[in-house]
């Protein structure tokens, strides 16, 4: 009976789907991968198909309303299929379209309840492809599903892949491009050509490609990197049929699963002198991994650049999950070669795991840029750097630091890894807002260290005394430990991590001061931060007397210590400080060592924060008095 259903399905496919198909892909994942011994094992099966737009029409209104495209069924192959037979329709919600390529594409996910410890094949067959230079006729898109548990005690999640339905290549040029893949388990993924006689472990031979097996002659495929190379020599259409296989361990020879990817290559002729095609240039870097929460609104700006003056961007082919809304392609007013397009998505709970969003720009000459993808890892939060405004908090140092400061540390919200693509830690001078130093976190393994929840980095830069600086971070300076490494957001706020460099010269003229005056007047100062207190007559200042004016003392020091005792005639200090008269008597003591600024620096020769006492010039003589007490205590400790 199963065979009768299968033959009937093939006949219907020939009648309904003739010459409309443009390729597709399958992937699947367990609903609860870490729950052991399930029976049945719920599997979320995702299918994606592309069709001729003239046959299955789609526009943005179709996408927004959830309209479907396509027809046909997916059937089970294998002795362990049970009652599955042909469980899924290939009519799916439209997610992408292209007017220039006459293409509509859609994607859908369904739940299949499978028995534990089985391996089956699901296949979609039909006829026929568009007229091809090699092969054609029937198609078969096939995946292998396993409900055996992995060595790590989880159910396997299959690799996912995406590719533009039509890859445009200009005649006479050689190309190399990456087949985008992702695997939520972090398994090793290898690519291979599809086979007409793939063996499923339950002794079933499954056809993975039908009329387009090995129909792209001259192309080479690197199985480990999934890089494809081809020299476009003849004009026409070719169909490509690939399989992605995942391996839990590198030494394994039998794949855990196999998922298909099929697309069309079109070679066209052009006499234009412009040979530089358009490219995807951000804002997310190609290959970025973005962690997002369920029901979190994602808004991204995709940026594209055309390669030649006078050339415009005519189209952007996208591969996106259901519900993602594509904005209008807009030309930049400041740079006519640059274009932007927004993508908005609110991922549902069913989208957990890897979701590839791919962009392929096409210019007005028909040149197509490489397909670049961003992976959205749903239900996985990306790590972030933790901001703190206090000493010994989550980041250090902060405030005022020594000119020799070269060690920096910041805590993160979760365990972090090094990024796989370029991401810089950047230092800027505040007065000019210019970058003065940078570290590439992806390659500088000596000066950028990742340790569990902590990012530590070392600098080798001559900080200028008295200057202020701040630190900024590129997108993805830290990444999560999950398989593709969800990337941290960029930090572009100069107030996130500012710091000042201690200027010892500003205090050098305070050492070794003497005075012949017996009276010092402290001027009126309004300082809201100072509370009302009563002077402590027991406090004596050793080594420094307060100068008799607000002009810094310019003496060079003496070989004697001037010890000053103070008798107080008025002794109340308030937030608005009144004029206070102090009467002093001076006694000359035996010669002692004079404390120089360099001595202070030696005392503080470690990467710690120099407190507000030294970092901020408090208005008037209040600062000098407090500083004098600080100096006196250090001097006393050196006697």
């Amino acid at each position: 009976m199963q065979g009768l259903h299968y033959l009937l399905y093939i006949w219907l496919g020939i009648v309904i789907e003739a010459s409309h198909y443009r390729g597709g892909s399958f992937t699947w994942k367990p609903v609860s991968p870490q729950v052991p011994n399930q029976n049945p094992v719920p599997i979320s099966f995702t299918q994606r198909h592309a069709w001729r737009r003239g046959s299955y029409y789609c526009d943005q209104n179709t996408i927004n309303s959830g309209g479907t495209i396509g027809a046909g069924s997916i059937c089970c192959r294998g002795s362990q299929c049970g009652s599955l037979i042909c469980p899924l329709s290939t009519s799916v919600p439209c997610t992408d379209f292209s007017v220039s390529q006459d293409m509509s594409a859609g994607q859908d996910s369904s739940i299949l309840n499978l028995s534990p410890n089985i391996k089956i094949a699901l296949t979609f067959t039909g006829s026929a492809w568009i007229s091809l230079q090699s092969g054609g006729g029937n198609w078969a898109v096939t995946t292998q599903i396993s409900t055996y548990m992995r060595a790590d005690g989880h159910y396997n999640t299959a690799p996912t892949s995406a590719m533009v339905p039509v890859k445009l290549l200009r005649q006479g040029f050689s190309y190399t491009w990456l087949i985008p893949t992702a695997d939520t388990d972090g398994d090793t993924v290898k690519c291979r050509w599809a086979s007409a006689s793939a063996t499923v472990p339950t002794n079933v031979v499954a056809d993975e490609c039908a009329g387009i097996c090995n129909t792209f002659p001259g192309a080479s495929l690197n199985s480990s990197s999934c890089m494809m190379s081809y020299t476009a020599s003849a004009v026409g259409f070719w169909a490509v049929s690939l399989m992605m296989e995942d391996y839990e361990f590198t030494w394994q020879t039998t794949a855990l699963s196999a998922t298909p990817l099929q697309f069309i290559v079109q070679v066209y002729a052009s006499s234009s002198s412009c040979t530089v095609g358009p490219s995807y240039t951000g804002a997310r870097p190609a290959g970025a991994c973005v962690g997002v929460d369920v029901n979190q609104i994602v808004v991204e700006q995709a940026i594209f650049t055309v390669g030649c003056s006078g050339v415009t961007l005519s189209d952007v082919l996208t591969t996106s999950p259901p519900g993602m809304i594509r904005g209008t392609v807009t030309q930049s007013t400041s740079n006519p070669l640059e274009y932007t397009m927004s993508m908005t998505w609110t991922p549902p709970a069913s989208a957990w795991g890897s979701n590839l969003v791919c962009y392929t720009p096409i210019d007005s000459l028909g040149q197509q840029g490489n397909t670049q993808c961003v992976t959205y890892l749903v239900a996985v939060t990306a790590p972030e750097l933790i901001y703190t405004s206090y000493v010994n908090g989550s980041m250090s140092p902060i405030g005022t630091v020594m000119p020799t400061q070269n060690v920096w540390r910041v805590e993160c919200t979760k365990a972090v890894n090094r990024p796989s693509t370029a991401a810089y830690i950047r230092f800027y001078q505040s007065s000019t807002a210019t970058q003065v130093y940078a570290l590439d976190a992806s390659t500088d393994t000596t000066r950028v260290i990742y340790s569990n929840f902590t990012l530590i980095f070392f600098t080798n830069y001559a900080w200028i005394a008295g200057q202020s600086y701040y630190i900024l971070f590129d997108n993805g300076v830290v990444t999560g430990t999950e398989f593709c490494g969800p990337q941290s957001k960029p930090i572009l706020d100069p107030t996130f991590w500012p710091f000042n460099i201690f200027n010892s010269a500003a205090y050098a003229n305070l050492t070794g001061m003497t005075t012949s005056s017996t009276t010092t007047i402290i001027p009126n100062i309004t300082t809201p931060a100072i509370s009302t207190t009563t002077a402590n007559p027991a406090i004596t200042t050793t080594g420094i007397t307060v100068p008799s004016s607000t002009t810094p003392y310019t003496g060079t020091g003496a070989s004697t210590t001037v010890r000053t005792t103070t008798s107080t005639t008025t002794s109340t200090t308030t937030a608005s400080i009144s004029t206070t008269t102090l009467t002093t008597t001076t006694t000359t003591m035996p010669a002692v060592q004079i404390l120089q600024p360099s001595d202070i620096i030696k005392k503080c020769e470690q990467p710690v924060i120099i407190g507000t006492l030294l970092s901020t010039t408090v208005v008037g003589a209040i600062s000098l008095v407090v500083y004098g007490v600080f100096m006196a205590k250090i001097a006393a400790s050196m006697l």
Side-chain angles (χ1 to χ4, degrees):
M1 180 62 71
Q2 179 180 337
L4 178 61
H5 278 281
Y6 190 70
L7 291 174
L8 177 62
Y9 164 71
I10 293 177
W11 180 81
L12 289 173
I14 294 174
V15 174
I16 297 173
E17 311 302 338
S19 75
H20 302 334
Y21 200 54
R22 296 292 186 270
S25 62
F26 293 157
T27 189
W28 52 269
K29 60 190 177 186
V31 173
S32 303
Q34 298 182 19
V35 178
N37 303 319
Q38 299 176 50
N39 189 9
V41 181
I43 296 293
S44 177
F45 181 86
T46 298
Q47 55 178 314
R48 183 173 184 83
H49 305 283
W51 308 90
R52 185 164 62 88
R53 189 167 181 255
S55 298
Y56 293 104
Y57 182 81
C58 176
D59 60 13
Q60 193 60 54
N61 291 330
T62 310
I63 295 173
N64 295 345
S65 64
T68 61
I69 58 173
S73 297
I74 295 175
C75 296
C76 184
R77 298 282 292 157
S79 60
Q80 299 176 317
C81 287
S83 60
L84 285 180
I85 307 177
C86 297
L88 298 174
S89 168
T90 55
S91 177
V92 298
C94 185
T95 58
D96 305 276
F97 67 94
S98 171
V99 176
S100 66
Q101 300 302 303
D102 189 23
M103 181 271 299
S104 298
Q107 179 176 311
D108 194 25
S109 297
S110 306
I111 302 298
L112 296 175
N113 289 307
L114 304 180
S115 299
N117 301 322
I118 64 171
K119 193 160 189 177
I120 59 174
L122 291 182
T123 186
F124 172 40
T125 61
S127 176
W129 286 91
I130 62 173
S131 180
L132 301 173
Q133 298 299 310
S134 177
N138 295 344
W139 71 73
V141 186
T142 302
T143 186
Q144 296 182 26
I145 300 178
S146 170
T147 59
Y148 288 92
M149 297 190 70
R150 298 158 49 95
D152 61 8
H154 301 163
Y155 290 98
N156 188 54
T157 297
T160 183
S161 183
M163 190 68 192
V164 60
V166 180
K167 177 74 174 175
L168 298 178
L169 305 179
R170 184 171 171 175
Q171 184 185 28
F173 289 81
S174 296
Y175 295 87
T176 298
W177 67 92
L178 176 69
I179 304 299
T181 61
D183 189 283
T184 303
D185 297 319
D187 295 333
T188 298
V189 177
K190 296 181 180 181
C191 301
R192 63 171 174 82
W193 298 104
S195 170
S197 57
T199 301
V200 181
T202 52
N203 298 319
V204 172
V205 175
D207 188 348
E208 298 173 330
C209 45
I212 61 165
C213 297
N214 302 311
T215 54
F216 193 30
S220 62
L221 176 67
N222 186 311
S223 62
S224 297
S225 64
C226 292
M227 296 291 293
M228 181 170 284
S229 300
Y230 182 70
T231 297
S233 55
V235 173
F237 292 88
W238 284 263
V240 181
S241 184
L242 304 175
M243 300 298 292
M244 319 299 147
E245 297 181 324
D246 56 337
Y247 298 83
E248 187 174 4
F249 305 105
T250 56
W251 48 263
Q252 285 181 321
T253 57
T254 301
L256 297 174
S257 62
T259 57
L261 175 65
Q262 297 182 7
F263 58 95
I264 292 173
V265 171
Q266 179 186 359
V267 177
Y268 68 96
S270 174
S271 59
S272 172
S273 60
C274 177
T275 60
V276 180
S279 60
Y280 169 84
T281 55
R284 292 279 185 185
C289 180
V290 184
V292 294
D293 293 329
V294 172
N295 295 323
Q296 172 189 343
I297 298 177
V298 177
V299 180
E300 297 288 356
Q301 291 293 327
I303 303 175
F304 309 93
T305 303
V306 294
C308 301
S309 178
V311 177
T312 60
L313 189 69
S314 63
D315 199 0
V316 176
L317 306 183
T318 55
T319 301
S320 56
M324 181 167 277
I325 299 174
R326 165 180 166 162
T328 303
V329 177
T330 304
Q331 188 176 25
S332 170
T333 56
S334 59
N335 181 3
L337 300 181
E338 186 176 276
Y339 296 77
T340 60
M341 181 182 72
S342 66
M343 299 289 281
T344 305
W345 187 41
T346 304
S350 59
W352 73 267
S354 305
N355 295 264
L356 286 173
V357 178
C358 301
Y359 306 95
T360 309
I362 302 175
D363 66 21
S364 55
L365 299 176
Q367 297 182 116
Q368 186 183 77
N370 281 341
T371 298
Q372 303 288 5
C373 298
V374 175
T375 301
Y376 291 89
L377 198 58
V378 176
V380 177
T381 303
E384 301 299 342
L385 307 182
I386 302 175
Y387 166 80
T388 185
S389 60
Y390 55 89
V391 178
N392 295 327
S394 59
M395 59 171 60
S396 68
I398 59 174
T400 299
V401 303
M402 301 303 296
T404 56
Q405 179 66 41
N406 64 352
V407 183
W408 315 82
R409 176 192 64 84
V410 60
E411 298 294 322
C412 304
T413 55
K414 60 189 298 186
V416 292
N417 278 340
R418 187 180 307 278
S420 58
T421 57
Y424 284 87
I425 303 168
R426 305 177 187 270
F427 291 79
Y428 288 78
Q429 187 169 326
S430 300
S431 59
T432 60
T434 56
Q435 180 177 302
V436 297
Y437 192 78
L439 296 166
D440 186 351
S442 66
T443 59
D444 200 334
T445 57
T446 301
R447 291 180 294 179
V448 183
I449 307 300
Y450 294 82
S451 178
N452 200 11
F453 282 65
T454 306
L455 169 64
I456 305 169
F457 46 103
F458 302 85
T459 53
N460 180 21
Y461 184 76
W463 308 112
I464 301 174
Q467 290 293 318
S468 297
Y469 300 86
Y470 57 88
I471 310 174
L472 300 183
F473 298 85
D474 283 4
N475 175 81
V477 161
V478 296
T479 64
T481 56
E482 294 81 6
F483 86 100
C484 69
Q487 299 171 340
S488 60
K489 297 176 182 177
I491 294 177
L492 307 176
D493 181 3
T495 66
F496 178 80
W497 196 342
F499 61 94
N500 311 307
I501 304 302
F502 175 59
N503 186 5
S504 59
Y507 299 96
N509 52 20
L510 298 177
T511 305
M513 290 185 288
T514 62
T515 181
S516 58
S517 171
T518 58
T519 303
T520 299
I521 305 298
I522 300 178
N524 292 333
I525 300 171
T526 301
T527 310
I530 301 177
S531 60
T532 301
T533 59
T534 301
N536 184 352
I539 295 178
T540 61
T541 56
T542 305
I544 296 178
T545 58
V546 180
S548 57
S549 72
T550 57
T551 303
Y553 186 78
T554 57
T556 58
S559 60
T560 59
T561 298
V562 178
R563 178 160 303 188
T564 302
T565 57
T566 303
S567 58
T568 306
T569 54
T570 58
S571 59
T572 302
T573 304
T574 63
S576 178
I577 301 177
S578 304
T579 300
T580 304
T581 301
L582 300 179
T583 303
T584 64
T585 60
T586 302
T587 304
T588 300
M589 303 299 293
V592 296
Q593 178 185 358
I594 299 299
L595 186 65
Q596 300 294 336
S598 59
D599 298 321
I600 300 176
I601 295 174
K602 290 179 180 178
K603 283 280 187 178
C604 304
E605 196 76 35
Q606 52 182 320
V608 297
I609 309 305
I610 305 298
T612 305
L613 187 64
L614 297 181
S615 65
T616 307
T617 304
V618 181
V619 181
I622 292 296
S623 174
L624 297 177
V625 171
V626 177
Y627 182 71
V629 174
F630 173 74
M631 296 276 286
K633 289 184 176 181
I634 295 178
S637 69
M638 298 181 64
L639 292 177

